[in-house]
Amino acid sequence: MNPQILQEMAVRYFLEVARCGSVSVAAERLDVAPSAVSRQIARLERELGTLLFERRSRGMALNAAGELLAAHAKRAHQDVERVAGEIMGLRGLRQGLVRVVCTEGFAHDFLPAAIAVFRRQYAGIRFSLDVCSQREVPVRVRDGTADIGVTLSLTSHHDVRVELRMPAPVRAVVAPDHPLAGRSEVSLAQLMAYPLALPDADSTLRQLIDISCSRQQLSCEPMFSSRSVDALVAFAGAGGGVAFCGELAIRYRLRAGQVVALPLRDREMNERHFEVQTLAGRVLPEAAKAFIASLRAQLQADGGAAPARWRESGATPAP
């Protein structure tokens, strides 16, 4: 075997196919012809003397050899990024790229504002922000396509380090002139009398609401549903009804008096946590470490959580 092949373009193409599960989708993302991707995969398999994928009718999945190669390639890529980050650190954190992935609720106000605050001090640091589902965030952190994951978590995840963690209970979101706006807290049962704006059935927030309603034998039928948290909150703020969200995702609307967030008495609505996640065992680039420190400082300065409510931990155990 030629060891150089593990450092060449073939590995880049291999990793993209591993992520996508499809040669054609990988080719589209790489902006090359599918035949070029197929040739590079075949070359890798020929040099290594083994197949790397299981060819299926609906795509390709890594076999045991492919999993080993993918793990090696990701570690090698992260090592390069780490060394580059350390070099940047020697130059005073003047350059670098931080790749962040988050759930949709944090992409509208919270993270863009946090990034803007950070770049006032470190103007040379670049950011990419991608949005995905809650269950995909730790996957993206584990496979190395994101340096930092920002999400709402109900369980622990194998090979994921929790850098920051704080309670993130679900709130009922209403317009300032809503009949319930002056209450100190409400229950789901009280909210059933008003039009409900709920996320789609596959979201974990909707699943929490459905579980709580089922336990209490409440009929929970949305008058407005959407995958967009922003759309649901805007509907509630316009007087359309009641939406559900964590305070952190809507803190600027709360400060501006556009909406009111009411605590919920129901047990299931208070079991979520806000988490900043990274890959366990990975030495982060200096720019990523600095951004996490900035997030911690910003959140504590906002008074959103007393120091005792924060947890900095190592890798969480497997669920």
Side-chain angles (χ1 to χ4, degrees):
M1 182 191 77
N2 176 9
Q4 264 195 320
I5 195 169
L6 297 182
Q7 303 172 9
E8 295 179 357
M9 185 181 298
V11 173
R12 179 180 166 221
Y13 287 14
F14 160 78
L15 284 175
E16 197 61 49
V17 175
R19 290 189 194 105
C20 302
S22 163
V23 168
S24 58
V25 175
E28 184 177 344
R29 293 188 180 183
L30 293 163
D31 196 25
V32 297
S35 59
V37 176
S38 295
R39 281 197 303 273
Q40 293 292 347
I41 298 298
R43 180 186 173 210
L44 258 183
E45 292 179 327
R46 186 170 60 253
E47 288 282 348
L48 294 170
T50 183
L51 294 177
L52 299 170
F53 292 94
E54 295 177 9
R55 271 71 172 178
R56 299 174 178 175
S57 58
R58 294 189 177 181
M60 300 169 69
L62 291 173
N63 60 19
E67 293 282 1
L68 284 173
L69 178 58
H72 161 81
K74 290 169 187 174
R75 284 195 301 270
H77 180 66
Q78 288 165 359
D79 284 344
V80 170
E81 289 184 327
R82 176 180 57 80
V83 172
E86 290 173 355
I87 292 170
M88 296 302 177
L90 294 174
R91 295 166 56 186
L93 207 65
R94 293 195 295 268
Q95 296 181 29
L97 170 66
V98 180
R99 300 167 302 165
V100 184
V101 64
C102 70
T103 49
E104 192 254 349
F106 296 118
H108 295 285
D109 292 327
F110 173 65
L111 278 172
I115 291 168
V117 168
F118 179 81
R119 292 194 70 259
R120 289 172 196 159
Q121 183 174 0
Y122 303 110
I125 303 300
R126 297 174 294 118
F127 283 82
S128 69
L129 177 61
D130 201 3
V131 178
C132 64
S133 68
Q134 184 173 325
R135 63 176 59 90
E136 193 181 350
V137 170
V139 175
R140 297 282 298 277
V141 168
R142 279 197 299 264
D143 70 15
T145 56
D147 302 308
I148 298 169
V150 179
T151 186
L152 294 162
S153 181
L154 300 172
T155 62
S156 59
H157 299 279
H158 182 62
D159 288 339
V160 169
R161 175 184 171 87
V162 179
E163 302 282 353
L164 300 175
R165 191 172 195 257
M166 62 181 284
V170 179
R171 302 302 194 204
V173 181
V174 297
D177 58 354
H178 190 278
L180 298 178
R183 300 287 185 94
S184 59
E185 64 175 9
V186 293
S187 67
L188 284 175
Q190 290 173 305
L191 299 176
M192 295 302 111
Y194 301 93
L196 300 180
L198 301 179
D200 289 347
D202 61 349
S203 78
T204 53
L205 174 56
R206 176 65 178 275
Q207 290 162 14
L208 276 179
I209 294 170
D210 288 345
I211 289 169
S212 191
C213 286
S214 176
R215 179 177 62 82
Q216 300 177 66
Q217 298 183 328
L218 300 173
S219 177
C220 181
E221 194 66 36
M223 295 296 107
F224 177 53
S225 62
S226 173
R227 288 184 178 272
S228 169
V229 174
D230 202 47
L232 298 171
V233 172
F235 174 81
V242 181
F244 298 87
C245 191
E247 289 186 17
L248 197 55
I250 56 170
R251 61 179 184 168
Y252 294 105
R253 283 191 174 96
L254 291 172
R255 289 174 183 172
Q258 298 171 3
V259 293
V260 174
L262 304 171
L264 287 158
R265 290 196 291 268
D266 309 84
R267 182 179 70 243
E268 293 85 357
M269 301 297 99
N270 294 279
E271 295 179 349
R272 301 190 314 172
H273 285 82
F274 166 83
E275 289 188 354
V276 176
Q277 302 175 345
T278 62
L279 178 62
R282 180 188 177 192
V283 179
L284 287 174
E286 291 301 316
K289 288 194 286 188
F291 181 60
I292 291 170
S294 177
L295 279 178
R296 182 186 298 113
Q298 290 181 51
L299 287 165
Q300 290 177 340
D302 284 345
R309 290 171 61 192
W310 285 92
R311 181 167 71 86
E312 299 177 43
S313 74
T316 56

